[in-house]
Amino acid sequence: MSQSTVPRPAAASGDGPPTPGAGEPADGRPSGPRSRGRGGRGRRRGKPAVHVPDGGVRWRDRFRRDRALILMTTPAVLLLFVFAYIPIAGNVIAFQFFSPYAGDGFFDSLANSTWVGLEQFQRMINDSYFWNALENTLVFSFLQLVLFFPIPIALAILINSFLHSKVRAWAQAVLYLPHFFSWVLVVTVFQQIFGGAGLVAQTARNHGFADGFDLMTDPGFFKFLITAQLIWKDAGWGIIVFLAALAAVNHELYESAAVDGAGRWRRMWHVTLPALRPVIALLLVLQIGGMLTVGLEQYIIQRTAVGPGASEVLDTYVWFAGIRNGQFSYAAAVGIVKGIFSLLLILAANKVAHAMGEAGVYKKS
């Protein structure tokens, strides 16, 4: 008969410790699996604990996983850093009377230029032409926000409703085409239609109306003319983002709404527009943040026709009052003020987007 492996009970008498059984180690610790700490995970001896981020993946593992994307974005980040962030240091000339001829190079001229403190900003505040340019900029931006911004949304919904793919592709190509035209060509087309010798003026004269029709030289109509040119040139290009958002909408939502008795307008209001709402909020925040930047070339081309009083904006004001006349310090001062207020606008618009439940440019922490 084989010997039993059942441990024998300890002796009833005696002062010594009980004799360990066959299944129990001599040091008194229980045999079997090693005891585990909290959560059932043991820690190996001799190896320090590795910090794991909240996502559960170490940064080295994430770098290996995303190294292809990081390499793809590295050139763009470098270009942004070199051409957008490093030049910010040059804004120091706004506190000087900077002259590029004060030294052999930029840094030598910077060191030899006279420091004037806030004199350039005081000059800007006391300049009536600056306030005229600011007023025109805000008026143009408001009209573009009200009249231009909704048009790409409407065009995207209209094109998305086309059932035939060839009709949809043809409509997209026609709407995209004006975006690639230069502003010189755009202004020329409008001149041939709405100018004093344009199509509309000639048609009016042929039907016995009085001469003098010329919208291209009317200062009062210039703000609407600028907005119309912008709509014709860039409204079609703006539908790309909205079409991409509509492509991600599940078509079963439209089918379910149709089964429930929702018509075309109801489906657009309860399915299409909610799908576009995050994109609309993001682009609206960016549009508000860029209200002080309306462009340069479009206004310079038509400046002579309507006069600087109607066409002067901050971008053209910086060019004519600062750069063209060699007053680089004054131009830098206006650029600093413009940048600060643009940042405040985009932060305020993003806060409103958060209050409405949207992510905006960045998510609320």
Side-chain angles (χ1 to χ4, degrees), residues 26-246:
D27 57 358
R29 289 181 300 175
S31 62
R34 184 176 299 174
S35 61
R36 300 180 183 269
R38 184 179 300 177
R41 295 184 179 180
R43 180 181 297 178
R44 295 182 180 181
R45 293 182 179 181
K47 293 184 178 181
V50 179
H51 174 70
V52 179
D54 296 337
V57 183
R58 293 181 300 180
W59 69 269
R60 294 181 180 179
D61 297 332
R62 286 186 290 180
F63 178 79
R64 295 192 193 99
R65 180 191 63 191
D66 301 331
R67 58 186 175 185
L69 298 177
I70 294 175
L71 291 176
M72 290 173 59
T73 57
T74 298
V77 173
L78 291 178
L79 289 175
L80 182 66
F81 179 76
V82 171
F83 293 102
Y85 286 94
I86 292 181
I88 293 178
N91 286 325
V92 69
I93 67 175
F95 305 93
Q96 294 180 321
F97 188 78
F98 177 77
S99 174
Y101 309 105
D104 296 333
F106 172 76
F107 294 102
D108 194 14
S109 301
L110 187 67
N112 296 331
S113 297
T114 305
W115 292 89
V116 295
L118 301 178
E119 181 179 334
Q120 304 293 346
F121 297 93
Q122 295 175 355
R123 173 190 170 187
M124 178 185 61
I125 294 175
N126 297 327
D127 191 357
S128 60
Y129 293 103
F130 167 77
W131 295 107
N132 178 62
L134 178 61
E135 179 183 357
N136 290 339
T137 303
L138 294 177
V139 170
F140 292 146
S141 297
F142 178 76
L143 288 177
Q144 293 173 11
L145 184 65
V146 174
L147 301 179
F148 171 79
F149 187 78
I151 291 181
I153 303 174
L155 289 176
I157 296 175
L158 179 62
I159 293 177
N160 190 65
S161 63
F162 293 160
L163 298 178
H164 204 285
S165 59
K166 291 184 178 180
V167 177
R168 185 182 306 176
W170 178 84
Q172 289 178 348
V174 171
L175 292 174
Y176 293 165
L177 183 61
H179 173 75
F180 300 98
F181 295 162
S182 65
W183 279 115
V184 176
L185 181 58
V186 172
V187 173
T188 302
V189 171
F190 273 75
Q191 178 68 34
Q192 296 299 321
I193 298 176
F194 301 107
L199 179 63
V200 176
Q202 292 180 4
T203 304
R205 283 194 295 267
N206 294 335
H207 288 79
F209 292 95
D211 295 337
F213 178 86
D214 189 0
L215 295 180
M216 301 297 294
T217 58
D218 187 357
F221 189 76
F222 181 70
K223 50 182 173 293
F224 300 102
L225 179 67
I226 285 289
T227 306
Q229 293 171 355
L230 182 66
I231 291 174
W232 184 72
K233 186 178 187 296
D234 289 334
W237 185 255
I239 69 176
I240 295 179
V241 178
F242 297 108
L243 286 178
L246 289 176

Side-chain angles (χ1 to χ4, degrees), residues 157 254 263-274:
I157 296 175
Y254 292 101
R264 181 181 298 272
W265 292 101
R266 285 285 185 177
R267 293 196 298 269
M268 181 188 69
W269 185 261
H270 293 287
V271 179
T272 304
L273 290 180

